[in-house]
PDB file of all heavy atoms in Angstrom:
ATOM      1  N   GLU A   1       0.326  18.302 -17.186  1.00  0.00           N
ATOM      2  CA  GLU A   1       1.614  17.622 -17.340  1.00  0.00           C
ATOM      3  C   GLU A   1       1.985  16.881 -16.061  1.00  0.00           C
ATOM      4  O   GLU A   1       2.441  15.722 -16.098  1.00  0.00           O
ATOM      5  CB  GLU A   1       2.694  18.666 -17.686  1.00  0.00           C
ATOM      6  CG  GLU A   1       4.063  18.063 -17.942  1.00  0.00           C
ATOM      7  CD  GLU A   1       4.081  17.137 -19.140  1.00  0.00           C
ATOM      8  OE1 GLU A   1       3.244  17.323 -20.046  1.00  0.00           O
ATOM      9  OE2 GLU A   1       4.934  16.224 -19.177  1.00  0.00           O
ATOM     10  N   VAL A   2       1.780  17.560 -14.921  1.00  0.00           N
ATOM     11  CA  VAL A   2       2.062  16.888 -13.650  1.00  0.00           C
ATOM     12  C   VAL A   2       1.151  15.677 -13.470  1.00  0.00           C
ATOM     13  O   VAL A   2       1.577  14.616 -12.986  1.00  0.00           O
ATOM     14  CB  VAL A   2       1.880  17.895 -12.486  1.00  0.00           C
ATOM     15  CG1 VAL A   2       1.983  17.167 -11.141  1.00  0.00           C
ATOM     16  CG2 VAL A   2       2.930  18.991 -12.556  1.00  0.00           C
ATOM     17  N   ALA A   3      -0.121  15.824 -13.871  1.00  0.00           N
ATOM     18  CA  ALA A   3      -1.042  14.700 -13.754  1.00  0.00           C
ATOM     19  C   ALA A   3      -0.618  13.529 -14.632  1.00  0.00           C
ATOM     20  O   ALA A   3      -0.706  12.362 -14.223  1.00  0.00           O
ATOM     21  CB  ALA A   3      -2.461  15.147 -14.110  1.00  0.00           C
ATOM     22  N   ARG A   4      -0.136  13.852 -15.861  1.00  0.00           N
ATOM     23  CA  ARG A   4       0.349  12.769 -16.732  1.00  0.00           C
ATOM     24  C   ARG A   4       1.543  12.058 -16.107  1.00  0.00           C
ATOM     25  O   ARG A   4       1.645  10.830 -16.132  1.00  0.00           O
ATOM     26  CB  ARG A   4       0.700  13.334 -18.104  1.00  0.00           C
ATOM     27  CG  ARG A   4      -0.509  13.633 -18.987  1.00  0.00           C
ATOM     28  CD  ARG A   4      -0.092  13.875 -20.429  1.00  0.00           C
ATOM     29  NE  ARG A   4       0.714  15.098 -20.545  1.00  0.00           N
ATOM     30  CZ  ARG A   4       0.208  16.302 -20.775  1.00  0.00           C
ATOM     31  NH1 ARG A   4      -1.116  16.450 -20.895  1.00  0.00           N
ATOM     32  NH2 ARG A   4       0.979  17.348 -20.890  1.00  0.00           N
ATOM     33  N   GLN A   5       2.492  12.871 -15.551  1.00  0.00           N
ATOM     34  CA  GLN A   5       3.636  12.249 -14.891  1.00  0.00           C
ATOM     35  C   GLN A   5       3.180  11.393 -13.701  1.00  0.00           C
ATOM     36  O   GLN A   5       3.698  10.288 -13.479  1.00  0.00           O
ATOM     37  CB  GLN A   5       4.612  13.331 -14.430  1.00  0.00           C
ATOM     38  CG  GLN A   5       5.271  14.093 -15.580  1.00  0.00           C
ATOM     39  CD  GLN A   5       6.174  15.201 -15.083  1.00  0.00           C
ATOM     40  OE1 GLN A   5       6.312  15.393 -13.878  1.00  0.00           O
ATOM     41  NE2 GLN A   5       6.802  15.926 -16.006  1.00  0.00           N
ATOM     42  N   ALA A   6       2.220  11.942 -12.944  1.00  0.00           N
ATOM     43  CA  ALA A   6       1.721  11.175 -11.799  1.00  0.00           C
ATOM     44  C   ALA A   6       1.054   9.878 -12.250  1.00  0.00           C
ATOM     45  O   ALA A   6       1.210   8.831 -11.604  1.00  0.00           O
ATOM     46  CB  ALA A   6       0.725  12.017 -11.002  1.00  0.00           C
ATOM     47  N   GLN A   7       0.317   9.954 -13.374  1.00  0.00           N
ATOM     48  CA  GLN A   7      -0.295   8.725 -13.888  1.00  0.00           C
ATOM     49  C   GLN A   7       0.763   7.705 -14.294  1.00  0.00           C
ATOM     50  O   GLN A   7       0.624   6.506 -14.039  1.00  0.00           O
ATOM     51  CB  GLN A   7      -1.197   9.054 -15.072  1.00  0.00           C
ATOM     52  CG  GLN A   7      -2.488   9.782 -14.686  1.00  0.00           C
ATOM     53  CD  GLN A   7      -3.335  10.122 -15.894  1.00  0.00           C
ATOM     54  OE1 GLN A   7      -2.914   9.895 -17.037  1.00  0.00           O
ATOM     55  NE2 GLN A   7      -4.516  10.670 -15.654  1.00  0.00           N
ATOM     56  N   GLY A   8       1.850   8.201 -14.936  1.00  0.00           N
ATOM     57  CA  GLY A   8       2.932   7.283 -15.309  1.00  0.00           C
ATOM     58  C   GLY A   8       3.570   6.644 -14.084  1.00  0.00           C
ATOM     59  O   GLY A   8       3.818   5.419 -14.048  1.00  0.00           O
ATOM     60  N   ILE A   9       3.833   7.484 -13.060  1.00  0.00           N
ATOM     61  CA  ILE A   9       4.434   6.943 -11.839  1.00  0.00           C
ATOM     62  C   ILE A   9       3.473   5.953 -11.170  1.00  0.00           C
ATOM     63  O   ILE A   9       3.890   4.892 -10.682  1.00  0.00           O
ATOM     64  CB  ILE A   9       4.796   8.102 -10.885  1.00  0.00           C
ATOM     65  CG1 ILE A   9       5.903   8.954 -11.498  1.00  0.00           C
ATOM     66  CG2 ILE A   9       5.225   7.564  -9.527  1.00  0.00           C
ATOM     67  CD1 ILE A   9       6.186  10.218 -10.730  1.00  0.00           C
ATOM     68  N   ALA A  10       2.176   6.322 -11.153  1.00  0.00           N
ATOM     69  CA  ALA A  10       1.198   5.414 -10.548  1.00  0.00           C
ATOM     70  C   ALA A  10       1.131   4.093 -11.309  1.00  0.00           C
ATOM     71  O   ALA A  10       1.001   3.022 -10.698  1.00  0.00           O
ATOM     72  CB  ALA A  10      -0.176   6.077 -10.524  1.00  0.00           C
ATOM     73  N   ALA A  11       1.246   4.168 -12.645  1.00  0.00           N
ATOM     74  CA  ALA A  11       1.240   2.927 -13.431  1.00  0.00           C
ATOM     75  C   ALA A  11       2.463   2.074 -13.092  1.00  0.00           C
ATOM     76  O   ALA A  11       2.365   0.848 -12.938  1.00  0.00           O
ATOM     77  CB  ALA A  11       1.200   3.247 -14.918  1.00  0.00           C
ATOM     78  N   GLU A  12       3.648   2.738 -12.976  1.00  0.00           N
ATOM     79  CA  GLU A  12       4.849   1.985 -12.608  1.00  0.00           C
ATOM     80  C   GLU A  12       4.698   1.368 -11.215  1.00  0.00           C
ATOM     81  O   GLU A  12       5.110   0.219 -10.985  1.00  0.00           O
ATOM     82  CB  GLU A  12       6.065   2.911 -12.654  1.00  0.00           C
ATOM     83  CG  GLU A  12       6.420   3.378 -14.075  1.00  0.00           C
ATOM     84  CD  GLU A  12       7.611   4.333 -14.072  1.00  0.00           C
ATOM     85  OE1 GLU A  12       8.109   4.621 -12.967  1.00  0.00           O
ATOM     86  OE2 GLU A  12       8.038   4.767 -15.164  1.00  0.00           O
ATOM     87  N   VAL A  13       4.118   2.152 -10.298  1.00  0.00           N
ATOM     88  CA  VAL A  13       3.917   1.618  -8.939  1.00  0.00           C
ATOM     89  C   VAL A  13       2.975   0.420  -8.971  1.00  0.00           C
ATOM     90  O   VAL A  13       3.208  -0.598  -8.294  1.00  0.00           O
ATOM     91  CB  VAL A  13       3.368   2.729  -8.017  1.00  0.00           C
ATOM     92  CG1 VAL A  13       2.929   2.142  -6.681  1.00  0.00           C
ATOM     93  CG2 VAL A  13       4.423   3.798  -7.788  1.00  0.00           C
ATOM     94  N   ARG A  14       1.896   0.526  -9.767  1.00  0.00           N
ATOM     95  CA  ARG A  14       0.966  -0.610  -9.863  1.00  0.00           C
ATOM     96  C   ARG A  14       1.652  -1.832 -10.444  1.00  0.00           C
ATOM     97  O   ARG A  14       1.456  -2.959  -9.965  1.00  0.00           O
ATOM     98  CB  ARG A  14      -0.243  -0.218 -10.711  1.00  0.00           C
ATOM     99  CG  ARG A  14      -1.226   0.717 -10.026  1.00  0.00           C
ATOM    100  CD  ARG A  14      -2.552   0.753 -10.763  1.00  0.00           C
ATOM    101  NE  ARG A  14      -2.368   1.235 -12.137  1.00  0.00           N
ATOM    102  CZ  ARG A  14      -2.424   2.514 -12.495  1.00  0.00           C
ATOM    103  NH1 ARG A  14      -2.658   3.440 -11.576  1.00  0.00           N
ATOM    104  NH2 ARG A  14      -2.261   2.876 -13.752  1.00  0.00           N
ATOM    105  N   ASP A  15       2.498  -1.591 -11.486  1.00  0.00           N
ATOM    106  CA  ASP A  15       3.211  -2.728 -12.068  1.00  0.00           C
ATOM    107  C   ASP A  15       4.164  -3.350 -11.059  1.00  0.00           C
ATOM    108  O   ASP A  15       4.260  -4.592 -10.950  1.00  0.00           O
ATOM    109  CB  ASP A  15       3.980  -2.265 -13.307  1.00  0.00           C
ATOM    110  CG  ASP A  15       3.046  -1.845 -14.437  1.00  0.00           C
ATOM    111  OD1 ASP A  15       1.876  -2.268 -14.408  1.00  0.00           O
ATOM    112  OD2 ASP A  15       3.494  -1.076 -15.318  1.00  0.00           O
ATOM    113  N   ALA A  16       4.868  -2.493 -10.307  1.00  0.00           N
ATOM    114  CA  ALA A  16       5.804  -3.022  -9.309  1.00  0.00           C
ATOM    115  C   ALA A  16       5.065  -3.803  -8.230  1.00  0.00           C
ATOM    116  O   ALA A  16       5.486  -4.899  -7.829  1.00  0.00           O
ATOM    117  CB  ALA A  16       6.602  -1.872  -8.686  1.00  0.00           C
ATOM    118  N   LYS A  17       3.948  -3.233  -7.775  1.00  0.00           N
ATOM    119  CA  LYS A  17       3.163  -3.952  -6.776  1.00  0.00           C
ATOM    120  C   LYS A  17       2.645  -5.276  -7.324  1.00  0.00           C
ATOM    121  O   LYS A  17       2.636  -6.298  -6.626  1.00  0.00           O
ATOM    122  CB  LYS A  17       1.999  -3.092  -6.311  1.00  0.00           C
ATOM    123  CG  LYS A  17       2.399  -1.928  -5.410  1.00  0.00           C
ATOM    124  CD  LYS A  17       1.158  -1.161  -4.938  1.00  0.00           C
ATOM    125  CE  LYS A  17       1.553  -0.025  -4.001  1.00  0.00           C
ATOM    126  NZ  LYS A  17       0.361   0.740  -3.554  1.00  0.00           N
ATOM    127  N   ALA A  18       2.225  -5.254  -8.596  1.00  0.00           N
ATOM    128  CA  ALA A  18       1.730  -6.493  -9.207  1.00  0.00           C
ATOM    129  C   ALA A  18       2.841  -7.540  -9.281  1.00  0.00           C
ATOM    130  O   ALA A  18       2.615  -8.722  -9.001  1.00  0.00           O
ATOM    131  CB  ALA A  18       1.162  -6.204 -10.597  1.00  0.00           C
ATOM    132  N   ARG A  19       4.061  -7.085  -9.668  1.00  0.00           N
ATOM    133  CA  ARG A  19       5.180  -8.039  -9.730  1.00  0.00           C
ATOM    134  C   ARG A  19       5.505  -8.589  -8.343  1.00  0.00           C
ATOM    135  O   ARG A  19       5.753  -9.788  -8.161  1.00  0.00           O
ATOM    136  CB  ARG A  19       6.399  -7.367 -10.340  1.00  0.00           C
ATOM    137  CG  ARG A  19       6.268  -7.114 -11.853  1.00  0.00           C
ATOM    138  CD  ARG A  19       7.613  -6.753 -12.468  1.00  0.00           C
ATOM    139  NE  ARG A  19       8.109  -5.482 -11.936  1.00  0.00           N
ATOM    140  CZ  ARG A  19       7.852  -4.301 -12.481  1.00  0.00           C
ATOM    141  NH1 ARG A  19       7.084  -4.229 -13.572  1.00  0.00           N
ATOM    142  NH2 ARG A  19       8.347  -3.193 -11.971  1.00  0.00           N
ATOM    143  N   LEU A  20       5.518  -7.686  -7.342  1.00  0.00           N
ATOM    144  CA  LEU A  20       5.796  -8.145  -5.971  1.00  0.00           C
ATOM    145  C   LEU A  20       4.732  -9.133  -5.500  1.00  0.00           C
ATOM    146  O   LEU A  20       5.041 -10.161  -4.884  1.00  0.00           O
ATOM    147  CB  LEU A  20       5.866  -6.947  -5.029  1.00  0.00           C
ATOM    148  CG  LEU A  20       7.073  -6.010  -5.213  1.00  0.00           C
ATOM    149  CD1 LEU A  20       6.937  -4.797  -4.298  1.00  0.00           C
ATOM    150  CD2 LEU A  20       8.375  -6.751  -4.924  1.00  0.00           C
ATOM    151  N   LEU A  21       3.493  -8.791  -5.791  1.00  0.00           N
ATOM    152  CA  LEU A  21       2.417  -9.698  -5.401  1.00  0.00           C
ATOM    153  C   LEU A  21       2.519 -11.034  -6.138  1.00  0.00           C
ATOM    154  O   LEU A  21       2.247 -12.091  -5.555  1.00  0.00           O
ATOM    155  CB  LEU A  21       1.064  -9.039  -5.667  1.00  0.00           C
ATOM    156  CG  LEU A  21       0.694  -7.883  -4.742  1.00  0.00           C
ATOM    157  CD1 LEU A  21      -0.601  -7.229  -5.209  1.00  0.00           C
ATOM    158  CD2 LEU A  21       0.538  -8.364  -3.317  1.00  0.00           C
ATOM    159  N   ALA A  22       2.909 -10.978  -7.416  1.00  0.00           N
ATOM    160  CA  ALA A  22       3.087 -12.228  -8.162  1.00  0.00           C
ATOM    161  C   ALA A  22       4.197 -13.072  -7.541  1.00  0.00           C
ATOM    162  O   ALA A  22       4.069 -14.302  -7.404  1.00  0.00           O
ATOM    163  CB  ALA A  22       3.382 -11.923  -9.624  1.00  0.00           C
ATOM    164  N   ASP A  23       5.316 -12.409  -7.153  1.00  0.00           N
ATOM    165  CA  ASP A  23       6.393 -13.146  -6.480  1.00  0.00           C
ATOM    166  C   ASP A  23       5.914 -13.747  -5.171  1.00  0.00           C
ATOM    167  O   ASP A  23       6.234 -14.905  -4.841  1.00  0.00           O
ATOM    168  CB  ASP A  23       7.583 -12.210  -6.234  1.00  0.00           C
ATOM    169  CG  ASP A  23       8.231 -11.740  -7.543  1.00  0.00           C
ATOM    170  OD1 ASP A  23       8.056 -12.446  -8.564  1.00  0.00           O
ATOM    171  OD2 ASP A  23       8.893 -10.689  -7.532  1.00  0.00           O
ATOM    172  N   ASP A  24       5.157 -12.953  -4.410  1.00  0.00           N
ATOM    173  CA  ASP A  24       4.634 -13.478  -3.142  1.00  0.00           C
ATOM    174  C   ASP A  24       3.700 -14.657  -3.377  1.00  0.00           C
ATOM    175  O   ASP A  24       3.736 -15.660  -2.636  1.00  0.00           O
ATOM    176  CB  ASP A  24       3.895 -12.370  -2.384  1.00  0.00           C
ATOM    177  CG  ASP A  24       4.836 -11.284  -1.903  1.00  0.00           C
ATOM    178  OD1 ASP A  24       6.057 -11.564  -1.817  1.00  0.00           O
ATOM    179  OD2 ASP A  24       4.360 -10.158  -1.634  1.00  0.00           O
ATOM    180  N   VAL A  25       2.872 -14.540  -4.406  1.00  0.00           N
ATOM    181  CA  VAL A  25       1.958 -15.648  -4.720  1.00  0.00           C
ATOM    182  C   VAL A  25       2.738 -16.898  -5.111  1.00  0.00           C
ATOM    183  O   VAL A  25       2.422 -18.017  -4.674  1.00  0.00           O
ATOM    184  CB  VAL A  25       0.988 -15.229  -5.843  1.00  0.00           C
ATOM    185  CG1 VAL A  25       0.218 -16.430  -6.366  1.00  0.00           C
ATOM    186  CG2 VAL A  25       0.016 -14.182  -5.337  1.00  0.00           C
ATOM    187  N   PHE A  26       3.794 -16.726  -5.926  1.00  0.00           N
ATOM    188  CA  PHE A  26       4.614 -17.869  -6.330  1.00  0.00           C
ATOM    189  C   PHE A  26       5.276 -18.508  -5.114  1.00  0.00           C
ATOM    190  O   PHE A  26       5.283 -19.742  -4.957  1.00  0.00           O
ATOM    191  CB  PHE A  26       5.660 -17.393  -7.344  1.00  0.00           C
ATOM    192  CG  PHE A  26       6.564 -18.493  -7.849  1.00  0.00           C
ATOM    193  CD1 PHE A  26       6.098 -19.425  -8.759  1.00  0.00           C
ATOM    194  CD2 PHE A  26       7.864 -18.594  -7.380  1.00  0.00           C
ATOM    195  CE1 PHE A  26       6.925 -20.446  -9.209  1.00  0.00           C
ATOM    196  CE2 PHE A  26       8.691 -19.608  -7.825  1.00  0.00           C
ATOM    197  CZ  PHE A  26       8.229 -20.544  -8.746  1.00  0.00           C
ATOM    198  N   ARG A  27       5.825 -17.647  -4.223  1.00  0.00           N
ATOM    199  CA  ARG A  27       6.475 -18.176  -3.026  1.00  0.00           C
ATOM    200  C   ARG A  27       5.472 -18.899  -2.132  1.00  0.00           C
ATOM    201  O   ARG A  27       5.759 -19.989  -1.608  1.00  0.00           O
ATOM    202  CB  ARG A  27       7.143 -17.035  -2.262  1.00  0.00           C
ATOM    203  CG  ARG A  27       7.829 -17.452  -0.969  1.00  0.00           C
ATOM    204  CD  ARG A  27       8.511 -16.266  -0.327  1.00  0.00           C
ATOM    205  NE  ARG A  27       7.563 -15.198  -0.069  1.00  0.00           N
ATOM    206  CZ  ARG A  27       6.731 -15.164   0.954  1.00  0.00           C
ATOM    207  NH1 ARG A  27       6.710 -16.161   1.824  1.00  0.00           N
ATOM    208  NH2 ARG A  27       5.894 -14.149   1.128  1.00  0.00           N
ATOM    209  N   LEU A  28       4.318 -18.299  -1.955  1.00  0.00           N
ATOM    210  CA  LEU A  28       3.303 -18.934  -1.120  1.00  0.00           C
ATOM    211  C   LEU A  28       2.812 -20.252  -1.718  1.00  0.00           C
ATOM    212  O   LEU A  28       2.534 -21.212  -0.984  1.00  0.00           O
ATOM    213  CB  LEU A  28       2.133 -17.971  -0.920  1.00  0.00           C
ATOM    214  CG  LEU A  28       2.416 -16.736  -0.055  1.00  0.00           C
ATOM    215  CD1 LEU A  28       1.227 -15.799  -0.076  1.00  0.00           C
ATOM    216  CD2 LEU A  28       2.731 -17.153   1.370  1.00  0.00           C
ATOM    217  N   ARG A  29       2.710 -20.287  -3.029  1.00  0.00           N
ATOM    218  CA  ARG A  29       2.304 -21.552  -3.653  1.00  0.00           C
ATOM    219  C   ARG A  29       3.354 -22.635  -3.428  1.00  0.00           C
ATOM    220  O   ARG A  29       3.018 -23.809  -3.165  1.00  0.00           O
ATOM    221  CB  ARG A  29       2.071 -21.334  -5.148  1.00  0.00           C
ATOM    222  CG  ARG A  29       0.752 -20.630  -5.446  1.00  0.00           C
ATOM    223  CD  ARG A  29       0.568 -20.421  -6.933  1.00  0.00           C
ATOM    224  NE  ARG A  29      -0.728 -19.818  -7.208  1.00  0.00           N
ATOM    225  CZ  ARG A  29      -1.116 -19.400  -8.411  1.00  0.00           C
ATOM    226  NH1 ARG A  29      -0.291 -19.523  -9.447  1.00  0.00           N
ATOM    227  NH2 ARG A  29      -2.312 -18.877  -8.574  1.00  0.00           N
ATOM    228  N   ASN A  30       4.649 -22.257  -3.536  1.00  0.00           N
ATOM    229  CA  ASN A  30       5.703 -23.235  -3.264  1.00  0.00           C
ATOM    230  C   ASN A  30       5.637 -23.720  -1.824  1.00  0.00           C
ATOM    231  O   ASN A  30       5.778 -24.917  -1.539  1.00  0.00           O
ATOM    232  CB  ASN A  30       7.076 -22.610  -3.552  1.00  0.00           C
ATOM    233  CG  ASN A  30       7.293 -22.363  -5.040  1.00  0.00           C
ATOM    234  OD1 ASN A  30       6.695 -23.051  -5.874  1.00  0.00           O
ATOM    235  ND2 ASN A  30       8.114 -21.395  -5.379  1.00  0.00           N
ATOM    236  N   GLU A  31       5.433 -22.756  -0.889  1.00  0.00           N
ATOM    237  CA  GLU A  31       5.304 -23.155   0.511  1.00  0.00           C
ATOM    238  C   GLU A  31       4.094 -24.063   0.712  1.00  0.00           C
ATOM    239  O   GLU A  31       4.152 -25.032   1.480  1.00  0.00           O
ATOM    240  CB  GLU A  31       5.183 -21.915   1.392  1.00  0.00           C
ATOM    241  CG  GLU A  31       6.458 -21.076   1.450  1.00  0.00           C
ATOM    242  CD  GLU A  31       6.273 -19.850   2.333  1.00  0.00           C
ATOM    243  OE1 GLU A  31       5.147 -19.680   2.844  1.00  0.00           O
ATOM    244  OE2 GLU A  31       7.236 -19.082   2.490  1.00  0.00           O
ATOM    245  N   LEU A  32       3.024 -23.747   0.023  1.00  0.00           N
ATOM    246  CA  LEU A  32       1.832 -24.584   0.132  1.00  0.00           C
ATOM    247  C   LEU A  32       2.097 -25.989  -0.401  1.00  0.00           C
ATOM    248  O   LEU A  32       1.671 -26.985   0.200  1.00  0.00           O
ATOM    249  CB  LEU A  32       0.681 -23.933  -0.635  1.00  0.00           C
ATOM    250  CG  LEU A  32      -0.689 -24.606  -0.523  1.00  0.00           C
ATOM    251  CD1 LEU A  32      -1.142 -24.631   0.929  1.00  0.00           C
ATOM    252  CD2 LEU A  32      -1.710 -23.877  -1.382  1.00  0.00           C
TER     253      LEU A  32
END
């Protein structure tokens, strides 16, 4: 159960990191 919760949290963290990276990529493209 703890592992499932950890997997869910890890998935949310990956999604958040992906969104942040997407924002950074968009900003960098605009700067470029």
Side-chain angles (χ1 to χ4, degrees):
E1 183 63 26
V2 172
R4 284 193 294 270
Q5 294 177 0
Q7 288 178 355
I9 294 172
E12 292 178 359
V13 170
R14 286 196 299 271
D15 293 340
K17 287 183 178 179
R19 288 193 295 270
L20 291 175
L21 289 174
D23 295 337
D24 292 340
V25 169
F26 181 75
R27 179 177 57 80
L28 291 173
R29 284 179 177 173
N30 291 334
E31 292 180 358
L32 186 60

